[in-house]
Amino acid sequence: MSSDSHVPKGILCNAGAGAAAGVIAATFVCPLDVIKTRFQVNSVPQVANGSVKGSLIIGSLEQIFHKEGWRGMYRGLGPTVLALLPNWAVYFTMYEQLKSLLCSEDESHHLSIGANVAAASGAGAATTIATYPLWVVKTRLQTQVSRPGVVPYRSTLSALKRIAHEEGFRGLYSGLVPALVGISHVAIQFPIYEKIKLYLANKDNTAMDKLSARDVAIASSVSKIFASTLTYPHEVIRSRLQVQGHHSVKQYSGMTDCIRKVFQQEGLHGFYRGCATNLLRTTPAAVITFTSFEMIHRFLVSLFPADPQLQIL
């Protein structure tokens, strides 16, 4: 079999495993995503008049369940899944292709930190631009119930149509600049992930694509915590710019104005609103996504034993 036949199968394995892993993770952590997004956009809610014992996160989940039911807990899951199917499929595929182009010529074929950052950033930019309107819809669907006076969207498709009609292309890509700044997240996460995997592989005297699910979980969780904490402020700015098109009065004229007003009105704390919820959401999501990707990818590759050159993260 010629080497040319390896490429389509490699792309199929990366895309299939990436899409499946992303959907599994998104479904699992969706309730926490709803809470995180509402914390970012709104002031911190009063939970049950302050009478609920325990954390604000648990109290908020209980409040949403009592007021909106299961539908409220999973509000925005539709556009999230629709976005994640191409998002992780495109991301892992682009990442693998860029890694192949940038990998060193020595026997190890390991990427330098600079090459890894470039591969992660390039893949991140491609997926962000390709799927961004669906993330705008997700944010608005998750926050519209908590914003009085807003005419609600009925579904993902109706939201896309309304935003395009009422706000045009600019509305569909509102908050894109801070989202592109957020590419720094994967530029931090993926190199750390790769280095931890390499360390664990050397420690266990095994190959990186033979690591156990436990080791993959360790690498993905540690890298995600570092990246999420360092880059979280951009998520607050992005969410506020995404949701403001759903108001009659425009609160921010752009990213710089949003940063200035958040700092003036809320201080540094405002840039980390919902961060704890985000870590509770993204850390298990990263573990599920990366571990699922690795395991599903290995299974798909095993279906094509004639393709030993296929590589995964």
Side-chain angles (χ1 to χ4, degrees):
M1 187 178 292
S2 67
S3 60
D4 291 341
S5 64
H6 295 157
V7 176
K9 291 179 181 179
I11 292 175
L12 179 62
C13 290
N14 287 321
V23 171
I24 291 170
T27 304
F28 183 79
V29 301
C30 186
L32 287 172
D33 189 41
V34 173
I35 294 294
K36 183 261 309 186
T37 304
R38 293 188 185 184
F39 281 4
Q40 288 176 340
V41 174
N42 307 319
S43 59
V44 176
Q46 297 296 318
V47 180
N49 298 321
S51 62
V52 173
K53 295 181 180 180
S55 73
L56 180 63
I57 295 170
I58 299 300
S60 298
L61 288 172
E62 290 177 349
Q63 207 172 59
I64 291 176
F65 181 73
H66 288 312
K67 290 183 177 180
E68 305 171 45
W70 285 108
R71 186 172 183 177
M73 300 279 280
Y74 285 88
R75 194 174 297 278
L77 180 60
T80 299
V81 170
L82 287 176
L84 281 174
L85 283 170
N87 186 85
W88 284 116
V90 171
Y91 186 89
F92 279 116
T93 301
M94 287 290 296
Y95 183 59
E96 289 301 316
Q97 295 303 308
L98 289 172
K99 279 176 62 179
S100 298
L101 290 173
L102 298 171
C103 69
S104 60
E105 297 297 329
D106 58 25
E107 293 182 359
S108 65
H109 294 291
H110 290 149
L111 267 70
S112 66
I113 292 178
N116 221 316
V117 169
S121 300
T127 54
T128 297
I129 293 171
T131 64
Y132 194 76
L134 288 168
W135 296 115
V136 173
V137 170
K138 186 270 293 184
T139 300
R140 295 195 184 184
L141 286 175
Q142 288 182 339
T143 58
Q144 65 182 6
V145 173
S146 61
R147 309 198 71 80
V150 169
V151 179
Y153 300 116
R154 297 190 307 273
S155 65
T156 301
L157 183 59
S158 70
L160 285 169
K161 289 181 178 178
R162 260 185 62 188
I163 294 171
H165 176 71
E166 296 172 2
E167 305 168 48
F169 182 82
R170 188 170 184 174
L172 291 171
Y173 280 88
S174 55
L176 178 62
V177 174
L180 289 174
V181 172
I183 291 171
S184 60
H185 182 110
V186 293
I188 295 171
Q189 179 188 0
F190 274 74
I192 294 176
Y193 175 68
E194 297 281 6
K195 291 303 179 183
I196 294 175
K197 282 180 62 182
L198 180 60
Y199 169 78
L200 293 174
N202 290 336
K203 181 181 177 182
D204 296 339
N205 195 26
T206 187
M208 290 175 65
D209 60 354
K210 300 295 183 183
L211 286 172
S212 67
R214 179 184 64 86
D215 286 339
V216 173
I218 292 171
S220 58
S221 60
V222 172
S223 62
K224 189 66 176 182
I225 289 171
F226 269 99
S228 293
T229 303
L230 290 173
T231 64
Y232 186 75
H234 94 274
E235 292 198 34
V236 174
I237 302 303
R238 181 194 64 199
S239 292
R240 297 197 182 195
L241 291 175
Q242 284 177 340
V243 81
Q244 74 168 353
H246 211 186
H247 302 288
S248 57
V249 179
K250 199 169 185 178
Q251 294 177 287
Y252 312 110
S253 61
M255 183 177 72
T256 303
D257 183 51
C258 184
I259 293 172
R260 179 176 59 82
K261 287 181 178 178
V262 170
F263 181 73
Q264 288 178 344
Q265 297 168 10
E266 306 171 49
L268 289 175
H269 177 72
F271 293 106
Y272 282 88
R273 190 178 299 284
C275 186
T277 310
N278 186 59
L279 288 176
L280 286 175
R281 177 188 68 88
T282 58
T283 304
V287 171
I288 294 169
T289 300
F290 283 81
T291 306
S292 297
F293 174 81
E294 296 276 1
M295 300 305 115
I296 294 171
H297 190 284
R298 291 176 194 180
F299 170 74
L300 292 176
V301 170
S302 71
L303 299 179
F304 305 107
D307 291 340
Q309 295 181 8
L310 289 175
Q311 296 181 3
I312 62 175
L313 293 172

